[in-house]
Amino acid sequence: MSIRSPAAGLFGARTGANLMPADFEPAKKRLHVITWGCQMNVYDSARMADVLAPLGYAPTETPADADMVILNTCHIREKATEKVFSELGRLRAIKSARQETGQRTILAVAGCVAQAEGAEILARAPYVDIVLGPQTYHRLPEMVAQASRAAGAVIDTDFPAEQKFDFLPELAAPQSPGGVAAFLSIQEGCDKFCSFYVVPYTRGAEASRPAASVIAEARRMVAGGAREITLLGQNVNAYHGDAPDSGSWGLARLLFALAEIPDLERLRYTTSHPRDMSDDLIAAHGTIPALMPYLHLPVQTGSDRLLAAMNRRHSIADFLRIVERLRAARADMAFSSDFIVGHPGESDADHAATLSLVREVGFAQAYSFKYSPRPGTPASGAPLHVSEAEKDQRLQSLQALLRSHTEKFNAGCVGLTVPVLITGAGRHPGQIAGRSPWLQPVHLSGPASLAGQVVPVRIKAAHTNSLSGDLQQERACA
Ligand code: SAH
Ligand code: F3S
């Protein structure tokens, strides 16, 4: 969707921040980024900070002393837009207060709400300086320069033909607190058009980043201290990036190449679609030790009828076969998933089928949502909407069941010695924290110098969302 394109030529040239002359010393400025939503947005926020660093922007903790504030928004569920306007109201007050002391605050709204509601944002919040969609982050330095000069707002929510991946500067540092567990975006957009999902309309067509560029970025992250990398994409297992030589690589091939990077201990990828769990990707779980035995595989519902209504294009039997084959490839595989209750047309029997699927698979973890109609999506106009009361009831029963499975899974770890990647200091002095192969946070006593190492930990207790244990002496873990 194009709202109002900026003057042609202004953003047309390849003027990424990496083209700054070496002796360019920009004035020091402070940047505050507020991030809502998915890991993709967390990653995008870090990249926006990266492209602005050569302009002199360094992060600051509060919007009150920021020369620029970016609100990176998420559009998945309802009330997203209202939440944006209420946050903008708060930021406006800060902007006005700074203005009174002669300081300027550039206010930018980014992400999916910016993409979908750009015009409304400008109409209702004229004090916003920049509105930019997820495809145009590499143009941010130019937009900032223009916003600094001009009085009017700058909007850029086009889907440009060139891929933003090609224009982003090289990463200076790993994208995670402490740098041990990093995210790397390799794919964007989705062409599947599920009935309920708004992102294909806001993030644009499916696009994969070239394999060589992914590998180079992963190497830089590892050089900067990353030991675990999670590959990100809207539909990450549909990845099909240009190969370093010719042709293209799927996700399995890319994972094999990344697994060869020395010191990269762990690989993960998210979010996957069951349709794109190819044979070679399933097999990779059995042959790449660094590929963690944990997969987030959203199924949304346990009912074939609803799967069809959602346009998911697979059956429950297909899903169960994938789970079974992954477990056959690697016995310690565990799964997490997403569920939607109350999609239009969902009956009591459909909901019962969802509960029965949960019992059959025994998910280690799951996210569940009440269906929320997103304007412009097919499901929002469908008949047979489920009442709020019924949605509430179904969500409660599903969440209680999912919680019991998570507790069972966590309790099953007690007594085991598991390899834990230490990510940094823990909550209390002398404590350190890490994550298990199944993404459970693990707390233990130990020296902070272990950060970045995979150490054996004997699990002694399971809590609602974490484990605690003792460091074992021997370092022999997978
Ligand atoms: N690409 C992923 C989904 C990413 S969105 C996939 O294909 O599964 C993350 C989750 O948000 C979805 O899996 C879904 O469970 C939930 N979600 C998305 N749109 C929603 C809506 N309109 N109402 C409720 N939940 C929704
Ligand atoms: Fe695509 Fe459906 Fe997921 S539209 S991003 S596969 S929810």
Side-chain angles (χ1 to χ4, degrees), residues 189-194 196-197 199-200 234-235 273 300 312:
C190 178
D191 298 330
K192 288 202 163 55
F193 293 96
C194 297
F196 53 84
Y197 202 39
V199 167
Q234 287 303 322
N235 193 179
H273 193 291
Q300 315 297 355
R312 297 289 290 181

Side-chain angles (χ1 to χ4, degrees), residues 1-4 6 111 114-116 118 131-134 136 155-160:
M1 185 177 74
S2 169
I3 292 164
R4 187 176 76 206
Q115 181 67 42
V131 175
L132 73 159
T136 57
I155 300 197
D156 192 350
T157 51
D158 273 344
F159 287 144

Side-chain angles (χ1 to χ4, degrees), residues 187-235:
Q187 183 274 347
E188 273 227 352
C190 178
D191 298 330
K192 288 202 163 55
F193 293 96
C194 297
S195 63
F196 53 84
Y197 202 39
V198 75
V199 167
Y201 305 92
T202 58
R203 287 244 173 197
E206 201 279 323
S208 293
R209 182 173 178 177
S213 133
V214 174
I215 295 167
E217 187 170 345
R219 283 187 186 282
R220 272 193 299 276
M221 286 174 160
V222 174
R227 293 295 171 262
E228 172 176 307
I229 291 182
T230 302
L231 305 177
L232 295 179
Q234 287 303 322
N235 193 179

Side-chain angles (χ1 to χ4, degrees), residues 15-26 51-56 141-142 145:
T15 50
N18 47 341
L19 299 183
M20 289 293 168
D23 57 357
F24 178 82
E25 248 312 322
V51 296
L52 290 172
L55 295 189
E142 288 78 14

Side-chain angles (χ1 to χ4, degrees), residues 238-464:
Y239 176 84
H240 57 102
D242 290 344
D245 33 39
S246 65
S248 80
W249 280 6
L251 183 58
R253 184 69 190 80
L254 180 68
L255 286 165
F256 272 106
L258 293 171
E260 280 169 19
I261 299 176
D263 294 332
L264 180 50
E265 308 260 2
R266 293 181 164 190
L267 284 165
R268 305 177 188 275
Y269 57 93
T270 197
T271 293
S272 298
H273 193 291
R275 283 269 301 190
D276 296 311
M277 285 310 300
S278 58
D279 293 347
D280 59 346
L281 185 55
I282 292 174
H285 280 268
T287 46
I288 304 179
L291 189 53
M292 289 294 97
Y294 185 68
L295 182 64
H296 182 63
L297 194 60
V299 64
Q300 315 297 355
T301 170
S303 153
D304 278 333
R305 224 172 56 83
L306 259 282
L307 278 179
M310 290 177 174
N311 195 30
R312 297 289 290 181
R313 290 180 281 171
H314 67 83
S315 66
I316 292 302
D318 294 333
F319 184 82
L320 289 172
R321 230 174 350 255
I322 293 166
V323 167
E324 188 185 313
R325 290 176 61 206
L326 281 162
R327 282 183 171 147
R330 189 160 171 173
D332 57 353
M333 265 322 274
F335 296 88
S336 82
S337 198
D338 290 342
F339 292 90
I340 296 179
V341 298
H343 183 277
E346 189 188 61
S347 67
D348 283 341
D350 295 319
H351 181 61
T354 299
L355 300 180
S356 126
L357 176 73
V358 170
R359 284 190 200 96
E360 184 162 357
V361 177
F363 297 96
Q365 170 72 265
Y367 305 89
S368 43
F369 311 101
K370 275 196 289 185
Y371 169 72
S372 145
R374 310 306 298 129
T377 56
S380 67
L384 303 175
H385 275 265
V386 176
S387 74
E388 276 307 303
E390 254 168 329
K391 282 187 206 170
D392 283 333
Q393 229 173 24
R394 288 178 189 169
L395 189 68
Q396 270 182 25
S397 62
L398 175 61
Q399 289 189 337
L401 180 64
L402 290 169
R403 210 175 308 118
S404 74
H405 281 278
T406 300
E407 282 166 7
K408 196 165 138 203
F409 182 78
N410 289 347
C413 295
V414 176
L416 299 180
T417 297
V418 304
V420 172
L421 173 65
I422 303 300
T423 47
R427 282 182 285 218
H428 307 293
Q431 270 210 333
I432 49 176
R435 44 172 67 178
S436 77
W438 308 281
L439 269 189
Q440 297 142 299
V442 183
H443 300 281
L444 61 149
S445 298
S449 58
L450 287 179
Q453 293 187 33
V454 176
V455 297
V457 175
R458 189 173 160 81
I459 304 302
K460 59 180 184 197
H463 316 285
T464 323

